[in-house]
mmCIF file with all atom_site columns, all heavy atoms in Angstrom:
data_model
loop_
_atom_site.group_PDB
_atom_site.id
_atom_site.type_symbol
_atom_site.label_atom_id
_atom_site.label_alt_id
_atom_site.label_comp_id
_atom_site.label_asym_id
_atom_site.label_entity_id
_atom_site.label_seq_id
_atom_site.pdbx_PDB_ins_code
_atom_site.Cartn_x
_atom_site.Cartn_y
_atom_site.Cartn_z
_atom_site.occupancy
_atom_site.B_iso_or_equiv
_atom_site.pdbx_formal_charge
_atom_site.auth_seq_id
_atom_site.auth_comp_id
_atom_site.auth_asym_id
_atom_site.auth_atom_id
_atom_site.pdbx_PDB_model_num
ATOM 1   N N   . ALA A 1 65 ? -0.314  6.392   5.570  1.00 0.00 ? 65 ALA A N   1
ATOM 2   C CA  . ALA A 1 65 ? -0.841  7.757   6.003  1.00 0.00 ? 65 ALA A CA  1
ATOM 3   C C   . ALA A 1 65 ? -1.158  8.539   4.653  1.00 0.00 ? 65 ALA A C   1
ATOM 4   O O   . ALA A 1 65 ? -2.291  9.214   4.580  1.00 0.00 ? 65 ALA A O   1
ATOM 5   C CB  . ALA A 1 65 ? 0.177   8.429   6.740  1.00 0.00 ? 65 ALA A CB  1
ATOM 6   N N   . TRP A 1 66 ? -0.308  8.514   3.687  1.00 0.00 ? 66 TRP A N   1
ATOM 7   C CA  . TRP A 1 66 ? -0.586  9.175   2.437  1.00 0.00 ? 66 TRP A CA  1
ATOM 8   C C   . TRP A 1 66 ? -1.783  8.574   1.708  1.00 0.00 ? 66 TRP A C   1
ATOM 9   O O   . TRP A 1 66 ? -2.668  9.332   1.259  1.00 0.00 ? 66 TRP A O   1
ATOM 10  C CB  . TRP A 1 66 ? 0.646   9.068   1.496  1.00 0.00 ? 66 TRP A CB  1
ATOM 11  C CG  . TRP A 1 66 ? 0.342   9.760   0.192  1.00 0.00 ? 66 TRP A CG  1
ATOM 12  C CD1 . TRP A 1 66 ? 0.410   11.131  -0.077 1.00 0.00 ? 66 TRP A CD1 1
ATOM 13  C CD2 . TRP A 1 66 ? 0.021   9.120   -1.082 1.00 0.00 ? 66 TRP A CD2 1
ATOM 14  N NE1 . TRP A 1 66 ? 0.092   11.301  -1.394 1.00 0.00 ? 66 TRP A NE1 1
ATOM 15  C CE2 . TRP A 1 66 ? -0.159  10.089  -2.022 1.00 0.00 ? 66 TRP A CE2 1
ATOM 16  C CE3 . TRP A 1 66 ? -0.104  7.770   -1.428 1.00 0.00 ? 66 TRP A CE3 1
ATOM 17  C CZ2 . TRP A 1 66 ? -0.443  9.837   -3.333 1.00 0.00 ? 66 TRP A CZ2 1
ATOM 18  C CZ3 . TRP A 1 66 ? -0.404  7.500   -2.738 1.00 0.00 ? 66 TRP A CZ3 1
ATOM 19  C CH2 . TRP A 1 66 ? -0.570  8.535   -3.692 1.00 0.00 ? 66 TRP A CH2 1
ATOM 20  N N   . GLN A 1 67 ? -1.880  7.292   1.684  1.00 0.00 ? 67 GLN A N   1
ATOM 21  C CA  . GLN A 1 67 ? -3.067  6.630   1.031  1.00 0.00 ? 67 GLN A CA  1
ATOM 22  C C   . GLN A 1 67 ? -4.361  7.041   1.675  1.00 0.00 ? 67 GLN A C   1
ATOM 23  O O   . GLN A 1 67 ? -5.342  7.321   0.980  1.00 0.00 ? 67 GLN A O   1
ATOM 24  C CB  . GLN A 1 67 ? -2.908  5.107   1.038  1.00 0.00 ? 67 GLN A CB  1
ATOM 25  C CG  . GLN A 1 67 ? -1.791  4.599   0.115  1.00 0.00 ? 67 GLN A CG  1
ATOM 26  C CD  . GLN A 1 67 ? -1.506  3.126   0.307  1.00 0.00 ? 67 GLN A CD  1
ATOM 27  O OE1 . GLN A 1 67 ? -1.708  2.586   1.393  1.00 0.00 ? 67 GLN A OE1 1
ATOM 28  N NE2 . GLN A 1 67 ? -0.994  2.452   -0.774 1.00 0.00 ? 67 GLN A NE2 1
ATOM 29  N N   . ILE A 1 68 ? -4.375  7.061   3.002  1.00 0.00 ? 68 ILE A N   1
ATOM 30  C CA  . ILE A 1 68 ? -5.623  7.479   3.710  1.00 0.00 ? 68 ILE A CA  1
ATOM 31  C C   . ILE A 1 68 ? -5.964  8.891   3.434  1.00 0.00 ? 68 ILE A C   1
ATOM 32  O O   . ILE A 1 68 ? -7.091  9.249   3.235  1.00 0.00 ? 68 ILE A O   1
ATOM 33  C CB  . ILE A 1 68 ? -5.462  7.166   5.233  1.00 0.00 ? 68 ILE A CB  1
ATOM 34  C CG1 . ILE A 1 68 ? -5.384  5.689   5.543  1.00 0.00 ? 68 ILE A CG1 1
ATOM 35  C CG2 . ILE A 1 68 ? -6.621  7.800   6.012  1.00 0.00 ? 68 ILE A CG2 1
ATOM 36  C CD1 . ILE A 1 68 ? -4.942  5.312   6.934  1.00 0.00 ? 68 ILE A CD1 1
ATOM 37  N N   . SER A 1 69 ? -4.902  9.784   3.356  1.00 0.00 ? 69 SER A N   1
ATOM 38  C CA  . SER A 1 69 ? -5.182  11.178  3.092  1.00 0.00 ? 69 SER A CA  1
ATOM 39  C C   . SER A 1 69 ? -5.767  11.366  1.653  1.00 0.00 ? 69 SER A C   1
ATOM 40  O O   . SER A 1 69 ? -6.382  12.389  1.367  1.00 0.00 ? 69 SER A O   1
ATOM 41  C CB  . SER A 1 69 ? -3.841  11.950  3.183  1.00 0.00 ? 69 SER A CB  1
ATOM 42  O OG  . SER A 1 69 ? -2.999  11.761  2.073  1.00 0.00 ? 69 SER A OG  1
ATOM 43  N N   . GLN A 1 70 ? -5.484  10.408  0.801  1.00 0.00 ? 70 GLN A N   1
ATOM 44  C CA  . GLN A 1 70 ? -6.035  10.446  -0.583 1.00 0.00 ? 70 GLN A CA  1
ATOM 45  C C   . GLN A 1 70 ? -7.374  9.787   -0.755 1.00 0.00 ? 70 GLN A C   1
ATOM 46  O O   . GLN A 1 70 ? -7.870  9.686   -1.811 1.00 0.00 ? 70 GLN A O   1
ATOM 47  C CB  . GLN A 1 70 ? -5.040  9.851   -1.542 1.00 0.00 ? 70 GLN A CB  1
ATOM 48  C CG  . GLN A 1 70 ? -3.681  10.495  -1.596 1.00 0.00 ? 70 GLN A CG  1
ATOM 49  C CD  . GLN A 1 70 ? -3.724  11.948  -1.971 1.00 0.00 ? 70 GLN A CD  1
ATOM 50  O OE1 . GLN A 1 70 ? -4.240  12.271  -3.034 1.00 0.00 ? 70 GLN A OE1 1
ATOM 51  N NE2 . GLN A 1 70 ? -3.241  12.843  -1.158 1.00 0.00 ? 70 GLN A NE2 1
ATOM 52  N N   . GLY A 1 71 ? -7.923  9.246   0.377  1.00 0.00 ? 71 GLY A N   1
ATOM 53  C CA  . GLY A 1 71 ? -9.279  8.653   0.308  1.00 0.00 ? 71 GLY A CA  1
ATOM 54  C C   . GLY A 1 71 ? -9.341  7.148   0.439  1.00 0.00 ? 71 GLY A C   1
ATOM 55  O O   . GLY A 1 71 ? -10.450 6.608   0.492  1.00 0.00 ? 71 GLY A O   1
ATOM 56  N N   . THR A 1 72 ? -8.206  6.455   0.581  1.00 0.00 ? 72 THR A N   1
ATOM 57  C CA  . THR A 1 72 ? -8.213  5.053   0.837  1.00 0.00 ? 72 THR A CA  1
ATOM 58  C C   . THR A 1 72 ? -8.742  4.721   2.215  1.00 0.00 ? 72 THR A C   1
ATOM 59  O O   . THR A 1 72 ? -8.549  5.445   3.221  1.00 0.00 ? 72 THR A O   1
ATOM 60  C CB  . THR A 1 72 ? -6.752  4.471   0.765  1.00 0.00 ? 72 THR A CB  1
ATOM 61  O OG1 . THR A 1 72 ? -6.228  4.711   -0.607 1.00 0.00 ? 72 THR A OG1 1
ATOM 62  C CG2 . THR A 1 72 ? -6.743  2.975   0.993  1.00 0.00 ? 72 THR A CG2 1
ATOM 63  N N   . SER A 1 73 ? -9.559  3.696   2.344  1.00 0.00 ? 73 SER A N   1
ATOM 64  C CA  . SER A 1 73 ? -10.032 3.335   3.639  1.00 0.00 ? 73 SER A CA  1
ATOM 65  C C   . SER A 1 73 ? -8.980  2.791   4.575  1.00 0.00 ? 73 SER A C   1
ATOM 66  O O   . SER A 1 73 ? -7.934  2.290   4.079  1.00 0.00 ? 73 SER A O   1
ATOM 67  C CB  . SER A 1 73 ? -11.161 2.223   3.469  1.00 0.00 ? 73 SER A CB  1
ATOM 68  O OG  . SER A 1 73 ? -10.602 1.025   3.152  1.00 0.00 ? 73 SER A OG  1
ATOM 69  N N   . VAL A 1 74 ? -9.267  2.945   5.863  1.00 0.00 ? 74 VAL A N   1
ATOM 70  C CA  . VAL A 1 74 ? -8.268  2.498   6.838  1.00 0.00 ? 74 VAL A CA  1
ATOM 71  C C   . VAL A 1 74 ? -8.042  0.959   6.648  1.00 0.00 ? 74 VAL A C   1
ATOM 72  O O   . VAL A 1 74 ? -6.918  0.444   6.866  1.00 0.00 ? 74 VAL A O   1
ATOM 73  C CB  . VAL A 1 74 ? -8.769  2.783   8.256  1.00 0.00 ? 74 VAL A CB  1
ATOM 74  C CG1 . VAL A 1 74 ? -7.857  2.149   9.336  1.00 0.00 ? 74 VAL A CG1 1
ATOM 75  C CG2 . VAL A 1 74 ? -8.783  4.283   8.487  1.00 0.00 ? 74 VAL A CG2 1
ATOM 76  N N   . THR A 1 75 ? -9.163  0.248   6.383  1.00 0.00 ? 75 THR A N   1
ATOM 77  C CA  . THR A 1 75 ? -9.078  -1.206  6.188  1.00 0.00 ? 75 THR A CA  1
ATOM 78  C C   . THR A 1 75 ? -8.204  -1.543  5.076  1.00 0.00 ? 75 THR A C   1
ATOM 79  O O   . THR A 1 75 ? -7.257  -2.423  5.150  1.00 0.00 ? 75 THR A O   1
ATOM 80  C CB  . THR A 1 75 ? -10.422 -1.812  5.959  1.00 0.00 ? 75 THR A CB  1
ATOM 81  O OG1 . THR A 1 75 ? -11.313 -1.601  7.097  1.00 0.00 ? 75 THR A OG1 1
ATOM 82  C CG2 . THR A 1 75 ? -10.354 -3.317  5.715  1.00 0.00 ? 75 THR A CG2 1
ATOM 83  N N   . ASP A 1 76 ? -8.399  -0.943  3.856  1.00 0.00 ? 76 ASP A N   1
ATOM 84  C CA  . ASP A 1 76 ? -7.515  -1.243  2.686  1.00 0.00 ? 76 ASP A CA  1
ATOM 85  C C   . ASP A 1 76 ? -6.091  -0.830  2.970  1.00 0.00 ? 76 ASP A C   1
ATOM 86  O O   . ASP A 1 76 ? -5.137  -1.524  2.594  1.00 0.00 ? 76 ASP A O   1
ATOM 87  C CB  . ASP A 1 76 ? -8.078  -0.511  1.504  1.00 0.00 ? 76 ASP A CB  1
ATOM 88  C CG  . ASP A 1 76 ? -9.361  -1.056  0.936  1.00 0.00 ? 76 ASP A CG  1
ATOM 89  O OD1 . ASP A 1 76 ? -9.635  -2.234  1.321  1.00 0.00 ? 76 ASP A OD1 1
ATOM 90  O OD2 . ASP A 1 76 ? -10.041 -0.397  0.150  1.00 0.00 ? 76 ASP A OD2 1
ATOM 91  N N   . ALA A 1 77 ? -5.797  0.267   3.591  1.00 0.00 ? 77 ALA A N   1
ATOM 92  C CA  . ALA A 1 77 ? -4.475  0.749   3.906  1.00 0.00 ? 77 ALA A CA  1
ATOM 93  C C   . ALA A 1 77 ? -3.792  -0.255  4.839  1.00 0.00 ? 77 ALA A C   1
ATOM 94  O O   . ALA A 1 77 ? -2.584  -0.537  4.726  1.00 0.00 ? 77 ALA A O   1
ATOM 95  C CB  . ALA A 1 77 ? -4.461  2.143   4.522  1.00 0.00 ? 77 ALA A CB  1
ATOM 96  N N   . ALA A 1 78 ? -4.541  -0.748  5.825  1.00 0.00 ? 78 ALA A N   1
ATOM 97  C CA  . ALA A 1 78 ? -3.993  -1.748  6.819  1.00 0.00 ? 78 ALA A CA  1
ATOM 98  C C   . ALA A 1 78 ? -3.502  -2.962  6.073  1.00 0.00 ? 78 ALA A C   1
ATOM 99  O O   . ALA A 1 78 ? -2.351  -3.387  6.297  1.00 0.00 ? 78 ALA A O   1
ATOM 100 C CB  . ALA A 1 78 ? -5.042  -2.071  7.835  1.00 0.00 ? 78 ALA A CB  1
ATOM 101 N N   . PHE A 1 79 ? -4.289  -3.532  5.221  1.00 0.00 ? 79 PHE A N   1
ATOM 102 C CA  . PHE A 1 79 ? -3.926  -4.740  4.537  1.00 0.00 ? 79 PHE A CA  1
ATOM 103 C C   . PHE A 1 79 ? -2.870  -4.533  3.511  1.00 0.00 ? 79 PHE A C   1
ATOM 104 O O   . PHE A 1 79 ? -1.922  -5.370  3.307  1.00 0.00 ? 79 PHE A O   1
ATOM 105 C CB  . PHE A 1 79 ? -5.060  -5.475  3.940  1.00 0.00 ? 79 PHE A CB  1
ATOM 106 C CG  . PHE A 1 79 ? -6.081  -6.088  4.958  1.00 0.00 ? 79 PHE A CG  1
ATOM 107 C CD1 . PHE A 1 79 ? -7.382  -5.643  5.005  1.00 0.00 ? 79 PHE A CD1 1
ATOM 108 C CD2 . PHE A 1 79 ? -5.654  -6.906  5.971  1.00 0.00 ? 79 PHE A CD2 1
ATOM 109 C CE1 . PHE A 1 79 ? -8.265  -6.112  5.998  1.00 0.00 ? 79 PHE A CE1 1
ATOM 110 C CE2 . PHE A 1 79 ? -6.464  -7.453  6.939  1.00 0.00 ? 79 PHE A CE2 1
ATOM 111 C CZ  . PHE A 1 79 ? -7.760  -7.014  6.953  1.00 0.00 ? 79 PHE A CZ  1
ATOM 112 N N   . THR A 1 80 ? -2.889  -3.393  2.852  1.00 0.00 ? 80 THR A N   1
ATOM 113 C CA  . THR A 1 80 ? -1.835  -3.076  1.873  1.00 0.00 ? 80 THR A CA  1
ATOM 114 C C   . THR A 1 80 ? -0.430  -2.920  2.617  1.00 0.00 ? 80 THR A C   1
ATOM 115 O O   . THR A 1 80 ? 0.630   -3.271  2.033  1.00 0.00 ? 80 THR A O   1
ATOM 116 C CB  . THR A 1 80 ? -2.154  -1.756  1.156  1.00 0.00 ? 80 THR A CB  1
ATOM 117 O OG1 . THR A 1 80 ? -3.354  -1.893  0.485  1.00 0.00 ? 80 THR A OG1 1
ATOM 118 C CG2 . THR A 1 80 ? -1.040  -1.423  0.075  1.00 0.00 ? 80 THR A CG2 1
ATOM 119 N N   . ALA A 1 81 ? -0.450  -2.434  3.843  1.00 0.00 ? 81 ALA A N   1
ATOM 120 C CA  . ALA A 1 81 ? 0.698   -2.233  4.644  1.00 0.00 ? 81 ALA A CA  1
ATOM 121 C C   . ALA A 1 81 ? 1.263   -3.516  5.255  1.00 0.00 ? 81 ALA A C   1
ATOM 122 O O   . ALA A 1 81 ? 2.273   -3.555  5.894  1.00 0.00 ? 81 ALA A O   1
ATOM 123 C CB  . ALA A 1 81 ? 0.593   -1.188  5.662  1.00 0.00 ? 81 ALA A CB  1
ATOM 124 N N   . GLY A 1 82 ? 0.510   -4.622  5.008  1.00 0.00 ? 82 GLY A N   1
ATOM 125 C CA  . GLY A 1 82 ? 0.942   -5.944  5.466  1.00 0.00 ? 82 GLY A CA  1
ATOM 126 C C   . GLY A 1 82 ? 0.471   -6.380  6.830  1.00 0.00 ? 82 GLY A C   1
ATOM 127 O O   . GLY A 1 82 ? 0.883   -7.379  7.417  1.00 0.00 ? 82 GLY A O   1
ATOM 128 N N   . TYR A 1 83 ? -0.510  -5.648  7.402  1.00 0.00 ? 83 TYR A N   1
ATOM 129 C CA  . TYR A 1 83 ? -1.048  -6.009  8.716  1.00 0.00 ? 83 TYR A CA  1
ATOM 130 C C   . TYR A 1 83 ? -2.164  -7.033  8.512  1.00 0.00 ? 83 TYR A C   1
ATOM 131 O O   . TYR A 1 83 ? -2.957  -7.008  7.641  1.00 0.00 ? 83 TYR A O   1
ATOM 132 C CB  . TYR A 1 83 ? -1.601  -4.779  9.443  1.00 0.00 ? 83 TYR A CB  1
ATOM 133 C CG  . TYR A 1 83 ? -0.495  -3.874  9.890  1.00 0.00 ? 83 TYR A CG  1
ATOM 134 C CD1 . TYR A 1 83 ? 0.086   -2.981  9.079  1.00 0.00 ? 83 TYR A CD1 1
ATOM 135 C CD2 . TYR A 1 83 ? -0.079  -3.973  11.254 1.00 0.00 ? 83 TYR A CD2 1
ATOM 136 C CE1 . TYR A 1 83 ? 1.184   -2.159  9.525  1.00 0.00 ? 83 TYR A CE1 1
ATOM 137 C CE2 . TYR A 1 83 ? 0.988   -3.130  11.714 1.00 0.00 ? 83 TYR A CE2 1
ATOM 138 C CZ  . TYR A 1 83 ? 1.604   -2.284  10.827 1.00 0.00 ? 83 TYR A CZ  1
ATOM 139 O OH  . TYR A 1 83 ? 2.628   -1.490  11.317 1.00 0.00 ? 83 TYR A OH  1
ATOM 140 N N   . SER A 1 84 ? -2.152  -7.977  9.469  1.00 0.00 ? 84 SER A N   1
ATOM 141 C CA  . SER A 1 84 ? -3.203  -9.083  9.390  1.00 0.00 ? 84 SER A CA  1
ATOM 142 C C   . SER A 1 84 ? -4.535  -8.690  9.965  1.00 0.00 ? 84 SER A C   1
ATOM 143 O O   . SER A 1 84 ? -5.532  -9.399  9.756  1.00 0.00 ? 84 SER A O   1
ATOM 144 C CB  . SER A 1 84 ? -2.643  -10.325 10.023 1.00 0.00 ? 84 SER A CB  1
ATOM 145 O OG  . SER A 1 84 ? -2.351  -10.074 11.462 1.00 0.00 ? 84 SER A OG  1
ATOM 146 N N   . SER A 1 85 ? -4.545  -7.585  10.695 1.00 0.00 ? 85 SER A N   1
ATOM 147 C CA  . SER A 1 85 ? -5.882  -7.151  11.265 1.00 0.00 ? 85 SER A CA  1
ATOM 148 C C   . SER A 1 85 ? -5.881  -5.633  11.250 1.00 0.00 ? 85 SER A C   1
ATOM 149 O O   . SER A 1 85 ? -4.794  -4.964  11.427 1.00 0.00 ? 85 SER A O   1
ATOM 150 C CB  . SER A 1 85 ? -6.038  -7.697  12.719 1.00 0.00 ? 85 SER A CB  1
ATOM 151 O OG  . SER A 1 85 ? -5.160  -6.980  13.579 1.00 0.00 ? 85 SER A OG  1
#
Side-chain angles (χ1 to χ4, degrees):
W66 177 78
Q67 289 172 332
I68 293 169
S69 77
Q70 299 300 303
T72 299
S73 70
V74 172
T75 298
D76 287 345
F79 292 122
T80 301
Y83 287 81
S84 58
S85 72

